[in-house]
């Protein structure tokens, strides 16, 4: 029987973590994601024995994640933009040491201390690296509270499949809004020796979790290994949603919450006789370049809409390779675009074709 | 030269042959080869790290906890500690070893966990993690090697550099007016209710080596009690960056470091608490 | 008290010649060799035949290159006693 509940995005995510058999959460309060830490502090330990610890900073949180993830447990943290910036060093170490874990960024408007309102301005930080060195996170962008819940279990599966950190990139609006959620069944916490985990020396030599390889050739070998893994992820883990794109004359590209706004705008456009579809990348890394390119060949133009100054649009342009014009519309600093505004931009950019 | 070597070696072998002392029955001290790899350590000649590594290995071997212990290496000279200690280890970012150790201990509460950190790592960039780990009373051992200088990066001023002590970034001596005074972080963490056992030791003389070993042994025994953080500072040397030979450096340590960083227990467990468990 | 007969074996290839053992030896049994090992260090050698097996050299050796033997090991109780006299902690006693 379906278990349905009306929940805040942040709480749905926290509930999903408990149900996914998460072993430990380390975090620090920051608006607009504090509900994750609060919910887990209240619910998790008594239900599954999960460890929940409020650290002294995001820097400490991510390093606790590093330590605990090295034991092969299912470990996670969450934060919002300024906090994620503090975590970047640790994330780079985690990516290099190939530790599976879940990171959640409930993005708020920046830069600086910015605002506590929603934003998507951490796209580059999330998808292109953020910390030092050549590494990639698997990045998933939910657009509903349901996906905030569903992507938790998926993220853990991907993290362990590839021994790679997975980031759920969401925003302050999705974190705070309430929607109906169908909850996943409770998984039991389980633990297995994965062959690389540091839980006390087994037969043979002690195992080491490290990101240090002093010799240049060894470090290059590791880099090649990481890059090969990322290529494998690009091959297998592309996720996207194409709504009404097959017969579309124009496509709007958007991720996360903005994609839903754009779907509304597309409906309004279709009511006016303009054939618009919405292409929503769900995995931001790996980005669905080829899939978007296929659609791009069939339409007259693309409008990319984001809550930033134009970040994903660079990947959209890389996909389209100049085949059709790609326009951008962005709102910043915590302002959420409205469907009417998107429709207006669509008509404005494609004036010749649309009218 | 060759002839001389041969003569010398011959002399040495003769000595061994003459004395019947060197046999298994008479063995009283050898390095703990089950936990300490045979790999030569990268440390400079005379560096205290080697002694502390060996003591850790001895204690782990003697307690028989090789498969129940996870160590955390820092950033600094001892970043490669896992190349010498044959146990499971995790290498932490600069200053974060105690946070990493917290993460490990929280998900594996029945295992022994320690962090091994230098003064720059623990008392400068990692001050926050150190204090909060101790304040939460994480049931881990923090082993703090204080040689008053940044060794690996080439002898820069550390938070623990003594007043007027020269380093590459305090070339005229540490001026406390502008550079602050050395941080006695060990006394600081002893103030926190979360710490259970806080002590300051050294490894510059045989008697101190014995005491340090005893402290490490105690710390692991206390860890079983889950009463809080054990914190051991080892005042150590840095011959290369102090620009002295090893023997001189230990003498300098004795005459200059120890008056400022006096040896001995700073916080000892409450006997009643111990027996309560 | 009769002198205890001891001896040490130095792994000269791993010795870095730091001389801390020389400094710690109460018997002045140790000396720097005139030759270098493969790493180029002037390693330490035992030159006097007066070692008591007190373990001081091995305790301060940062590279763990010294193994110590003591002749009285036939009687293990005696060994334990001696160890307790020299220091307050037991040194590994091998059978």
């Amino acid at each position: 029987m379906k278990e349905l509940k009306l929940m805040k995005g942040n709480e749905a995510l926290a509930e999903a973590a408990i149900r996914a058999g998460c072993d430990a959460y380390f975090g620090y309060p920051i608006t607009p994601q504090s509900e994750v830490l609060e919910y887990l502090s209240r619910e998790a330990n008594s239900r599954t024995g999960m460890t929940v610890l409020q650290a002294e900073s995001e820097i400490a949180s991510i390093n606790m994640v590093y330590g605990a993830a090295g034991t092969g447990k299912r470990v996670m943290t969450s934060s919002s933009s300024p906090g994620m910036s503090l975590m970047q060093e640790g994330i780079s170490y985690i990516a290099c040491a190939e530790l599976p874990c879940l990171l959640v960024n409930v993005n708020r408007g920046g830069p600086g201390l910015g605002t506590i309102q929603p934003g998507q301005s951490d796209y580059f930080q999330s998808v292109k690296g953020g910390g030092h060195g050549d590494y990639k996170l698997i990045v998933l962008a939910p657009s509903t509270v349901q996906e905030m819940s569903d992507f938790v279990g998926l993220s853990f599966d991907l993290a362990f499949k590839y021994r790679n950190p997975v980031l759920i990139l969401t925003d302050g609006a999705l974190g705070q809004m309430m929607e109906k959620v169908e909850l996943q069944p409770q998984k039991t916490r389980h633990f297995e020796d994965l062959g690389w985990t540091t839980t006390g020396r087994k037969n043979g030599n002690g195992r080491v979790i490290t990101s240090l390889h002093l010799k240049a050739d060894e470090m290059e070998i590791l880099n090649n290994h990481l890059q090969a893994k990322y290529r494998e992820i690009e091959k297998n883990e592309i996720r996207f949603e194409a709504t009404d794109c097959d017969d579309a004359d124009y496509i709007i590209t958007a991720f996360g919450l903005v994609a839903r706004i754009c779907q509304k705008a597309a409906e309004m456009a279709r009511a006016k006789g303009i054939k618009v579809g919405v292409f929503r990348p769900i995995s931001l890394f790996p980005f669905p370049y080829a899939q978007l390119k296929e659609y791009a060949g069939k339409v007259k133009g693309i409008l990319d809409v984001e809550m930033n100054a134009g970040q994903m649009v660079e990947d959209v342009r890389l996909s389209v390779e100049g085949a059709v014009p790609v326009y951008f519309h962005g709102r910043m600093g915590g302002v959420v675009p409205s469907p009417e505004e998107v429709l207006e931009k669509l008509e404005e950019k494609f004036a010749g074709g649309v009218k | 030269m060759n002839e001389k070597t041969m003569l010398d070696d011959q002399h040495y072998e003769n000595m061994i042959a003459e004395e019947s002392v060197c046999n298994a029955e008479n063995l009283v001290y050898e390095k703990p080869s089950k936990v300490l790899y045979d790999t030569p350590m990268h440390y400079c000649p005379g560096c205290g790290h080697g002694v502390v590594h060996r003591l850790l290995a001895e204690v782990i071997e003697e307690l028989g906890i090789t498969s129940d212990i996870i160590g955390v290496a820092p950033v600094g000279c001892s970043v490669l500690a896992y190349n010498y200690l044959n146990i499971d280890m995790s290498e932490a970012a600069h200053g974060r070893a105690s946070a990493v150790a917290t993460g490990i201990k929280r998900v594996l509460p029945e295992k022994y966990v320690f962090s091994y950190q230098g003064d720059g790592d623990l008392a400068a960039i990692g001050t926050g993690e150190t204090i909060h780990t101790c304040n939460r009373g994480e049931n881990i051992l923090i082993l703090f090697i204080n040689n008053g200088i940044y060794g690996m990066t080439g002898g820069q001023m550390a938070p623990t550099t003594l007043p007027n002590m020269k380093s590459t970034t305090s070339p005229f001596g540490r001026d406390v007016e502008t550079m602050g005074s050395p941080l006695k972080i060990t006394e600081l963490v002893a103030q926190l209710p979360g710490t259970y056992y806080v002590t300051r030791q050294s490894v510059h003389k045989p008697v101190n080596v014995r005491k340090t070993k005893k402290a490490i042994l105690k710390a692991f025994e206390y860890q079983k009690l889950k009463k809080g953080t054990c914190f051991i500072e080892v005042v150590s040397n840095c011959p290369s960056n102090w620009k002295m030979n090893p023997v001189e450096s230990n003498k300098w340590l004795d005459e200059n470091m120890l008056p400022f960083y006096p040896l001995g227990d700073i916080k000892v467990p409450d006997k009643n608490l111990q027996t309560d468990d | 008290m009769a002198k205890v007969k001891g001896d040490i074996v130095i792994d000269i290839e791993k010795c870095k010649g730091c001389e801390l053992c020389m400094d710690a030896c109460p018997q002045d049994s140790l000396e720097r060799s005139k030759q270098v090992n493969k790493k180029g260090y002037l390693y330490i050698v035992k030159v006097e035949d007066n070692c008591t097996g007190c373990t001081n050299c091995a305790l301060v050796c940062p590279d763990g290159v010294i193994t110590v033997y003591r002749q009285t090991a036939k009687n293990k109780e005696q060994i334990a006693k001696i160890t307790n006299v020299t220091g307050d902690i037991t040194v590994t006693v091998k059978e």
Side-chain angles (χ1 to χ4, degrees):
Chain A
M1 208 184 84
K2 278 185 184 178
E3 203 178 337
L4 295 171
K5 218 172 168 183
L6 184 67
M7 290 184 100
K8 258 191 175 188
N10 284 338
E11 296 188 340
L13 183 132
E15 175 64 31
I18 300 172
R19 288 173 181 247
C22 181
D23 293 296
Y25 171 93
F26 303 95
Y28 186 77
I30 183 171
T31 309
Q33 68 78 49
S34 299
E35 292 85 358
V36 180
L37 172 58
E38 289 170 346
Y39 189 92
L40 290 173
S41 300
R42 196 166 65 231
E43 297 278 332
N45 189 266
S46 60
R47 280 170 52 188
T48 64
M50 175 180 167
T51 298
V52 181
L53 182 61
Q54 179 174 336
E56 64 271 27
S57 68
E58 287 89 349
I59 297 174
S61 308
I62 194 69
N63 284 286
M64 289 172 186
V65 168
Y66 175 96
T71 70
K73 302 272 184 176
R74 294 183 156 221
V75 191
M76 69 178 288
T77 185
S78 65
S79 190
S80 181
S81 311
M84 292 310 290
S85 293
L86 281 173
M87 289 189 188
Q88 292 306 317
E89 182 202 30
I91 294 173
S92 173
Y93 278 61
I94 287 171
C96 187
E98 298 193 84
L99 302 179
C101 63
L102 168 60
L103 317 166
V104 180
N105 181 0
V106 186
N107 199 160
R108 62 191 237 186
L113 193 52
T115 168
I116 56 170
Q117 307 300 327
Q120 295 186 320
S121 45
D122 298 349
Y123 180 90
F124 282 155
Q125 186 195 57
S126 310
V127 174
K128 306 292 180 186
H132 59 284
D134 284 310
Y135 73 90
K136 291 282 185 189
L137 308 176
I138 297 173
V139 184
L140 301 176
S143 71
T144 61
V145 173
Q146 183 66 54
E147 284 183 346
M148 290 277 280
S149 168
D150 293 346
F151 286 1
V152 173
L154 171 65
S155 295
F156 277 123
D157 291 346
L158 292 174
F160 277 86
K161 182 175 176 188
Y162 295 101
R163 271 190 72 178
N164 204 69
V166 177
L167 174 77
I168 293 181
L169 179 63
T170 180
D171 65 64
L174 271 169
Q176 295 298 324
M177 67 197 240
M178 292 185 92
E179 284 189 300
K180 185 178 71 179
V181 197
E182 185 189 337
L183 300 173
Q184 299 285 329
Q186 177 69 52
K187 277 189 191 167
T188 45
R189 287 172 57 212
H190 72 287
F191 173 70
E192 53 188 310
D193 184 352
L194 299 165
W196 51 266
T197 46
T198 50
T199 56
R201 184 178 135 193
K202 309 288 177 306
N203 300 327
N205 292 345
R207 294 170 182 167
V208 177
I209 302 285
T210 186
S211 62
L212 177 76
H213 304 275
L214 284 170
K215 289 182 182 144
D217 50 349
E218 284 175 18
M219 195 65 213
E220 189 178 44
I221 289 168
L222 179 87
N223 266 286
N224 285 332
H225 162 73
L226 289 178
Q227 292 303 319
K229 181 171 81 174
Y230 302 147
R231 298 299 87 77
E232 194 66 20
I233 292 169
E234 283 167 349
K235 216 164 67 191
N236 304 332
E237 305 302 340
I238 288 183
R239 288 170 170 79
F240 67 97
E241 180 188 51
T243 311
D244 297 332
C245 287
D246 290 331
D247 67 337
D249 287 328
Y250 303 96
I251 280 181
I252 306 175
T253 51
F255 73 96
L257 179 73
V258 180
R260 285 171 76 181
I261 294 164
C262 293
Q263 279 161 5
K264 180 68 186 170
E267 277 172 31
M268 289 158 66
R270 283 201 178 247
K272 291 174 109 177
I274 313 162
K275 287 185 187 168
V276 177
V278 176
F279 186 91
R280 172 171 81 98
I282 294 172
S283 56
L284 302 182
F285 178 81
F287 190 85
Y289 289 109
Q291 292 75 7
L292 178 57
K293 190 184 177 182
E294 212 181 306
Y295 284 111
K298 299 174 189 164
V299 296
K300 295 171 189 165
I302 289 176
L303 175 68
D304 179 80
V305 185
E306 299 175 59
M307 289 195 288
N308 57 39
Q311 299 193 13
M312 186 179 80
V313 68
E314 293 191 1
D315 284 321
V316 171
R317 288 190 172 122
L318 280 173
S319 311
V320 173
E321 290 179 328
V324 287
V326 175
Y327 295 100
F328 172 73
H329 175 61
R331 297 302 299 268
M332 290 169 285
V335 180
V336 183
S338 69
E340 291 76 14
E341 170 186 342
V342 175
L343 179 62
E344 196 182 306
K345 286 290 160 192
L346 196 76
E347 290 177 319
E348 179 192 311
K349 299 293 184 194
F350 299 113
V354 172
K355 283 183 180 166
Chain B
M1 187 80 182
N2 269 343
E3 201 184 338
K4 216 173 177 193
T5 315
M6 278 174 65
L7 276 173
D8 228 51
D9 286 350
Q10 193 59 50
H11 171 71
Y12 190 64
E13 274 166 26
N14 285 345
M15 270 177 62
I16 295 173
E18 278 167 26
E19 321 247 339
S20 55
V21 183
C22 296
N23 57 56
E25 195 184 44
N26 290 330
L27 182 66
V28 286
Y29 195 94
E30 66 173 345
K31 76 171 178 181
S33 53
K34 281 182 200 138
V35 180
L36 203 64
Y37 285 116
D38 209 27
T39 326
M41 298 190 207
H42 71 281
Y43 302 115
C44 305
C47 173
H49 275 308
V51 179
V52 184
H53 283 16
R54 201 189 68 232
L55 294 181
L56 253 174
E58 282 177 17
V59 171
I60 293 167
E61 197 169 308
E62 283 166 29
L63 289 173
I65 56 173
T66 316
S67 54
D68 294 308
I69 190 163
I70 300 114
V72 182
V75 169
C77 288
S78 48
V79 64
L80 294 171
Y82 52 77
N83 281 351
Y84 313 125
L85 294 169
N86 187 1
I87 53 170
D88 278 6
M89 286 197 78
S90 197
E91 201 292 305
H94 199 24
R96 319 300 170 211
S98 63
V100 172
T102 297
I104 297 169
K105 186 72 180 186
R106 288 289 178 132
V107 295
L108 298 173
E110 303 309 320
K111 302 283 178 178
Y112 294 86
V113 177
F114 70 92
S115 73
Y116 186 107
Q117 302 175 256
D119 43 274
D121 188 88
L122 178 140
I125 194 167
T127 316
E129 284 76 8
T130 304
I131 288 179
H132 284 279
T133 301
C134 290
N135 196 49
R136 284 191 304 268
E138 297 293 341
N139 293 304
I140 61 166
L141 163 65
I142 298 178
L143 197 45
F144 165 41
I145 313 298
N146 175 13
N147 58 9
I149 208 149
Y150 283 82
M152 179 163 262
T153 45
Q156 294 81 14
M157 183 178 68
T160 47
T161 298
L162 296 178
N164 303 318
M165 182 174 162
K166 284 182 182 170
S167 72
T168 58
T169 51
S170 57
F172 311 109
R174 181 179 189 149
D175 175 9
V176 295
E177 291 292 316
T178 58
M179 299 163 181
S181 293
L183 182 60
K184 291 187 179 179
I185 198 158
T186 307
E187 276 82 352
L188 211 150
V189 299
Q191 307 293 313
L192 305 172
T195 48
Y196 188 63
Y197 172 55
V198 180
T199 188
R200 182 184 284 122
Q201 302 295 340
S202 76
V203 289
H204 72 304
K205 287 178 181 169
V207 60
N208 300 100
V209 174
R210 290 194 179 96
K211 284 183 180 171
T212 301
K213 181 176 174 184
K214 202 172 179 181
I216 297 171
L217 194 70
K218 269 194 212 168
F220 283 127
E221 277 168 355
Y222 291 149
Q223 194 169 134
K224 273 189 284 193
L225 304 177
K226 300 185 180 176
K227 299 278 191 188
T229 312
C230 292
F231 191 101
I232 302 175
E233 173 179 343
V234 180
V235 181
S236 191
N237 61 353
C238 184
S240 296
N241 288 302
W242 290 0
K243 307 196 191 314
M244 297 171 197
N245 72 40
V247 175
E248 280 168 6
S249 77
N250 275 351
K251 192 162 174 280
W252 192 88
L253 181 154
D254 201 65
E255 289 166 1
N256 298 277
M257 294 284 277
L258 297 189
F260 197 87
Y261 299 111
L263 302 183
D265 290 341
I266 298 169
K267 187 178 193 176
V268 287
D270 186 330
K271 289 278 188 301
N272 298 326
L273 268 177
Q274 250 179 289
T275 45
D276 275 348
D277 199 69
Chain C
M1 193 173 111
K3 273 263 186 241
V4 183
K5 181 92 179 144
D7 201 358
I8 59 167
V9 173
I10 300 174
D11 185 350
I12 54 167
E13 287 308 331
K14 293 204 177 76
C15 175
K16 293 176 186 160
C18 74
E19 302 182 8
L20 292 182
C21 54
M22 276 168 60
D23 195 51
C25 177
Q27 300 289 100
D28 291 328
S29 312
L30 305 170
E31 207 35 81
R32 186 201 272 207
S33 88
K34 291 178 180 64
Q35 280 78 43
V36 293
N37 61 17
K38 281 180 195 147
K39 291 276 186 187
Y41 291 114
L42 290 162
Y43 54 87
I44 306 300
V45 288
K46 189 169 88 79
V47 289
E48 298 294 337
D49 192 17
N50 56 359
C51 176
T52 61
C54 75
T55 73
N56 273 7
C57 53
L59 284 174
V60 297
C61 175
D63 296 284
V65 304
I66 304 175
T67 307
V68 185
Y69 300 87
R70 197 184 296 144
Q71 200 169 35
T72 44
K74 281 165 202 158
N75 185 338
K76 273 185 221 156
E77 277 176 24
Q78 198 180 342
I79 271 277
K81 259 187 207 161
I82 291 163
T83 322
N84 282 340
V85 170
T86 45
D88 44 9
I89 190 149
T90 337
V91 175
T92 321
V93 178
K94 301 278 164 173
E95 289 185 19

